[in-house]
Amino acid sequence: MRWRASLVLMAASGFAGLGYQIVWTQQCALWLGHESAAVLAVMAAFFGGLATGASWLGPAIERSARPARWYAGCEAVIAGWSIVLLVILARFGDWVLGVTGTQPSPVWQWTVAFCATFVVLLPATAAMGATLPAIERAFVDRRGGGRSIAAHYAANTLGATLGVLAIAFWLVPTLGLARTAAICIALNALCAACALVLLPGRSVPAPAPRVPDARGGRDGLARLACTGLLGIGYEVLVVRVLSQVAEDTVYTFALLLAVYLVGSAAGAALYQRHLASRKDAHGLGDRLLCAQAACCVVGAASLWLADRLKDAWLDAAGTSMAAAIGAEAALALMAFALPTIAMGALFSHLSDRAAGAGISFGRAIGVNTFGASAAPLLFGVLLAPAAGLKLALMAIPLGYLALASRVAWRRPTAWLPAAVAAGIAIGAPVLAFVDLPDGARIVSYRDGVMAAVSVVEDTHGVSRLRIDNRQQEGSSSSLHVDARQALLPILLHPAPRRALFLGLGTGMTATSAAGDPALDVDAVELLPEVIAASAWFTRDFDAAARQRLHLVAADARRFVRVAPEQYDVIVSDNFHPARSGSGSLYTVEHFRAVRERLRADGLFCQWLPLHQLDLATLRSIVRSFLIVYPDSWAQLASNSLETPVLGLVGRVDGRRFDVRALRVRLARASATMTPGPASFGIEDELALLGSFVAGPRALARFAADARANTDDDPVVAYAAPRITYAPASSPQERLIALLDAVSIAPPELIDDAPDDAWPSRLAAYWTARRRFIEAGRGIGPSADVRDMLAQVREPLLSVLRLSPDFRPAYDPLLRMATALARTDIDDARALLAELDTAQPTRPEARDASRRLASLRIEPAQPSSR
C-alpha cells in the first residue's frame, strides 16, 4: 500500500514540477527577454537548482533515519516558496530588467539571466531536486533485496508528462499562469500531508557500512554527468531542428517535451522490470551506452525526413487541428521515442551502479542534473552555431560511445553506430529545411542560436525572407504595403522627430520611415540573423535613409521597458501571434510599457496580421489595446483580400486628428521624401484618413465580451495556434466579417473639418473603400486585359461614382485602358471617358484620351504567303 502511495505521490510531484517549469519559464521570459541567452539560461538555472538540491540535501537525507519526513518537508518548501514567488516575482523581474540593461552583451545577459533565475527559484528547485533522493532513501534497501529507484523515477516522469499536457492544453488556456501555479501549490501541499500519513513513519535503518569503490565512484559520477549533458543536449538540438518543420507554437513545445518525458519514464520502467536484476552490471552498462548511441543515430537520422513525414501525415489525415497536432506528435515520436527510452534505462542503471560504489542517490542525481544544466549553453549557444546542427547532433552518439569501456569497442554494437554517425557527419547534406519553388535559389542562409533565417529568390527576381522556413517575414515585392505600414502612422503625427519600430522583418518598413529627413528611426529586432538578412532588401534604398535607421538586436518587449528614450511614434510589427513568444507582444502590460515610452502627443500603431488571426483572438487583442488606449481607432494597411493587415492606433492625449495639420504634414513629407507618400497611395489627407475602418465605440462593441490578453492570462499564445493548424475561414472572409462588425463616423476621427463638405467626402471615401473590397471577392486574376475588364469595369466604376476621391479604383482602370489601347483604341477611349466622368477632378484620363486621339493604327499588312 505504502509503495503504491509513494508512486502516486511521485507522479503528483512530477505533475506539479513540470507545471512550475512551464509557468516560471513563461513568467521569466517576460522580464528577461526572448533572446537565446535568456531562454537557455532559464533552462540551465532550473536544472542547476535541481542539481543543487539533490547534491546539497542528499547527504543529510542519506544519514536521516526518517527520510519520509524529509520528503514531506521538501514538498512543503516547494509549496511555500511558490506562494512567495506569486507575490515577489514581478517586482524581482523589474529589478533584473534594470540590471540587464537595454543592449546587453550575450555574456552579460546570460550571466544575469542564469544567476537571477537560479537564485530566485533556488528554494523551490532545490527542494524539487531532493524529493527523489528522499523517496529512494525511504524505500530502497541497499543491503540487498531492495527495489531500484527506476519505478519512482518512472512515476515521477509520467506525472511530469501528464502535467505538460494538462497545463498546455487545458489549465493555462483556461485559468492563466497564477491560478495554474496555485493548483501546483495545492498538489505539493497535498503531497506533503499525504506523505506524513502514508509513507513509512518508522525509523529507516542506515545503510550498511561499506568500503567505497573510489575508482568506480569516479567513473560512475563522470558517466552520470556526461549522460545528463548529452541527453539534454540531444533534446535542445532536436527541438531546434524540428522548429523548422513544426509550427513552433506553445503546443509544439508541449508535445516534444511530453514525448521526451514519456520515453524516459518508459525506459526507467523497462529497466526496473527486465534489467535491474541482471548480474553482469558492467557489461550491461556498456550495452546500454551502445544502445543509446544507436538510438540517437536513428532518431537524428530520421530528422532529414521530417518534412516529408509531416506532409504525408497531413495528406492522409486532413487539415483539422487534431491532424496537425498529430503530425507534430509523430515528428516527436520519430526523433525522441527510441533515444529517450534508452536514456531512462541508462540513467536508472547508472544510478544503481553509483549506489553500489557507495555514492548516494542524491549525489548521483545531482551530478547528472549538473551535467544537464550545462547542455543548453554548450550545445545550444556554442556548438550548434559554430559547427552546424548536423555535426552537433552526430557528436551526441559519439559522446555516448566514448563513455563505453574498451571491451565494448571489440563488438559491432560500438563501432557500427560510430561508423554510421561519422558517415552521416561527413556525407549527409546540411540539416536545414528551405522550401524552394522551381527555379528558385537561396541567396542567404544563416543558422543562429534560436532560428534559421533564409532569403530565397524566385525566377521572377522576388526575394522572400523566412524564419525557420515557416514564418515569412516579407518579400521584395511587398514594398508598397510595407512602406504604408511605416508612412500611415508617422504621417498621422504632425511633427515627429523620433520613431521606434518593434520588429524589423525585411527592414523595408523602418527604412521607408527613415526616408523622412526630419526623423530618426530606431528598429528593434530579436534575431541578429534577421538584421543581417534585411540588408538584402534595403540595399537599393537611399543611403541617407539607411544611415538614419539605427538597428538594435534585442527583445522588443524588454527594450521598451528599459529604454530611456521617449518617442513621438512607435510602430509595432504584425508579429505572427501563434509563434512562441509573440503573444506577449499583444498584452495589456506591453501596451502600457509602450505608452510610457511615448511623449505627451505621441502615437502608437500596432499592426495585426488578420490573415493569421481568427476574429476571437483579434477581439482579445483589441480588448487589451482599449484598456490602455480607450479612445483608439483601427485602420487597414492596404485593401488586400489575401493578406489583410489591421492597425490599432492610439494617442497618448486621446485627441482626434486635425485635418489642416495633416495637410501641412503631407505637404512637407511630399517635398522632402523620395519617393513621397503619393507613391504609396497617400496622395492627400483623404487617402490618409480614408484608411481607417473603426472608431472607439465600434471597437468597444467588437471586443466587449473578449478576455483581455495579459501576462498572467496569455490568451493569444494559446488561442492563435488554432487558425495556424487548421484555418476555419479565409483571410478575405475574416476581413469582410470584421468590416461588417465595425464602423466609423467622421466626428469620431477628426476635430475640425476644413470645410462643410469634407466630412461627407470622407464618409463617401469609406463607403467606396468598403464596396471596393467587397467587389474584389469575386474577381479572378487573368493576364487577358479584356477578361479582367469584364470582371472589374462596372464594379470599379460604381465605386468611383460613390467617391470621386477614391483613387484605388481609378488607377487600375487607367492602367487597363492603356493596355487595351494596343488592340482596341476605341474601347480604350470609351473607358477613359467613363473614368473622366466618374472622377472629373483628375486629369490623367483626359490626358490619356488626348494622346490616343492623336494615334493612328496602321492597317494590318497582308501575308506574303
Side-chain angles (χ1 to χ4, degrees), residues 392-414:
L393 270 168
M394 288 305 104
I396 300 289
L398 294 175
Y400 279 116
L401 290 171
L403 299 175
S405 68
R406 294 181 181 179
V407 174
W409 283 89
R410 299 172 186 171
R411 295 185 292 268
T413 52

Side-chain angles (χ1 to χ4, degrees), residues 141-209:
D141 181 3
R142 292 190 181 86
R143 291 169 298 178
R147 296 180 173 91
S148 168
I149 191 59
H152 285 101
Y153 174 67
N156 187 256
T157 308
L158 181 60
T161 304
L162 295 175
V164 167
L165 296 176
I167 286 165
F169 287 89
W170 174 40
L171 291 177
V172 172
T174 304
L175 303 176
L177 296 175
R179 291 182 181 179
T180 298
I183 289 176
C184 296
I185 291 169
L187 271 177
N188 287 127
L190 183 63
C191 286
C194 291
L196 294 175
V197 175
L198 299 175
L199 296 188
R202 66 184 186 278
S203 177
V204 177

Side-chain angles (χ1 to χ4, degrees), residues 318-387:
T319 57
S320 67
M321 182 170 179
I325 291 288
E328 294 193 345
L331 294 178
L333 284 169
M334 176 185 70
F336 279 141
L338 291 177
T340 54
I341 289 172
M343 287 175 197
L346 180 60
F347 170 75
S348 300
H349 175 74
L350 293 177
S351 298
D352 284 356
R353 287 279 292 160
I359 299 170
S360 69
F361 180 69
R363 189 180 179 193
I365 194 172
V367 167
N368 180 263
T369 312
F370 270 126
S373 68
L377 175 62
L378 178 61
F379 286 97
V381 177
L382 301 177
L383 189 56

Side-chain angles (χ1 to χ4, degrees), residues 67 207 465 715:
L465 174 65
V715 177

Side-chain angles (χ1 to χ4, degrees), residues 53-406:
S55 301
W56 179 41
L57 298 176
I61 294 171
E62 182 74 10
R63 294 189 300 268
S64 173
R66 298 185 183 276
R69 293 185 179 180
W70 273 96
Y71 173 79
C74 287
E75 294 287 358
V77 168
I78 297 169
W81 190 250
S82 299
I83 293 173
V84 173
L85 289 176
L86 287 176
V87 178
I88 72 166
L89 202 54
R91 294 181 181 178
F92 180 78
D94 291 338
W95 176 79
V96 174
L97 273 170
V99 173
T100 305
T102 307
Q103 292 179 259
S105 67
V107 173
W108 175 247
Q109 187 175 20
W110 194 94
T111 302
V112 172
F114 176 82
C115 293
T117 309
F118 179 81
V119 170
V120 77
L121 300 182
L122 182 60
T125 53
M128 289 179 193
T131 54
L132 200 55
I135 284 289
E136 186 263 357
R137 174 74 181 92
F139 282 95
V140 178
D141 181 3
R142 292 190 181 86
R143 291 169 298 178
R147 296 180 173 91
S148 168
I149 191 59
H152 285 101
Y153 174 67
N156 187 256
T157 308
L158 181 60
T161 304
L162 295 175
V164 167
L165 296 176
I167 286 165
F169 287 89
W170 174 40
L171 291 177
V172 172
T174 304
L175 303 176
L177 296 175
R179 291 182 181 179
T180 298
I183 289 176
C184 296
I185 291 169
L187 271 177
N188 287 127
L190 183 63
C191 286
C194 291
L196 294 175
V197 175
L198 299 175
L199 296 188
R202 66 184 186 278
S203 177
V204 177
R210 55 188 178 272
V211 178
D213 180 356
R215 182 177 178 182
R218 287 194 302 270
D219 290 346
L221 290 176
R223 284 184 171 186
L224 281 163
C226 291
T227 53
L229 174 72
L230 295 169
I232 298 302
Y234 183 82
E235 179 192 13
V236 169
L237 294 173
V238 169
V239 170
R240 174 70 181 76
V241 172
L242 289 182
S243 65
Q244 301 178 67
V245 181
E247 294 295 343
D248 193 25
T249 70
V250 289
Y251 301 117
T252 304
F253 177 75
L255 286 169
L256 293 171
L257 183 56
V259 172
Y260 187 93
L261 293 170
V262 166
S264 300
L270 288 171
Y271 177 84
Q272 166 71 23
R273 187 174 183 87
H274 299 291
L275 301 175
S277 59
R278 295 286 182 93
K279 300 300 182 184
D280 182 17
H282 186 75
L284 178 60
D286 280 341
R287 289 193 292 275
L288 285 173
L289 284 168
C290 293
Q292 178 74 79
C295 289
C296 286
V297 169
V298 172
S302 68
L303 293 173
W304 273 268
L305 303 174
D307 54 344
R308 300 178 191 177
L309 173 63
K310 181 183 177 183
D311 292 342
W313 181 286
L314 294 177
D315 287 342
T319 57
S320 67
M321 182 170 179
I325 291 288
E328 294 193 345
L331 294 178
L333 284 169
M334 176 185 70
F336 279 141
L338 291 177
T340 54
I341 289 172
M343 287 175 197
L346 180 60
F347 170 75
S348 300
H349 175 74
L350 293 177
S351 298
D352 284 356
R353 287 279 292 160
I359 299 170
S360 69
F361 180 69
R363 189 180 179 193
I365 194 172
V367 167
N368 180 263
T369 312
F370 270 126
S373 68
L377 175 62
L378 178 61
F379 286 97
V381 177
L382 301 177
L383 189 56
L389 290 169
K390 179 183 69 169
L391 294 180
L393 270 168
M394 288 305 104
I396 300 289
L398 294 175
Y400 279 116
L401 290 171
L403 299 175
S405 68
R406 294 181 181 179

Side-chain angles (χ1 to χ4, degrees), residues 72 106 112 153 290 355 379 440 503 569 601 661 670 674 682 689 860:
V112 172
Y153 174 67
C290 293
F379 286 97
V569 179
D601 62 346
S670 299
T674 304
I682 312 174
L689 296 177

Side-chain angles (χ1 to χ4, degrees), residues 588-604:
V588 173
E589 291 81 359
H590 175 60
F591 292 152
R592 282 183 180 141
V594 169
R595 187 184 179 107
E596 292 299 315
R597 295 275 70 76
L598 286 167
R599 295 195 173 104
D601 62 346
L603 177 144
F604 174 44

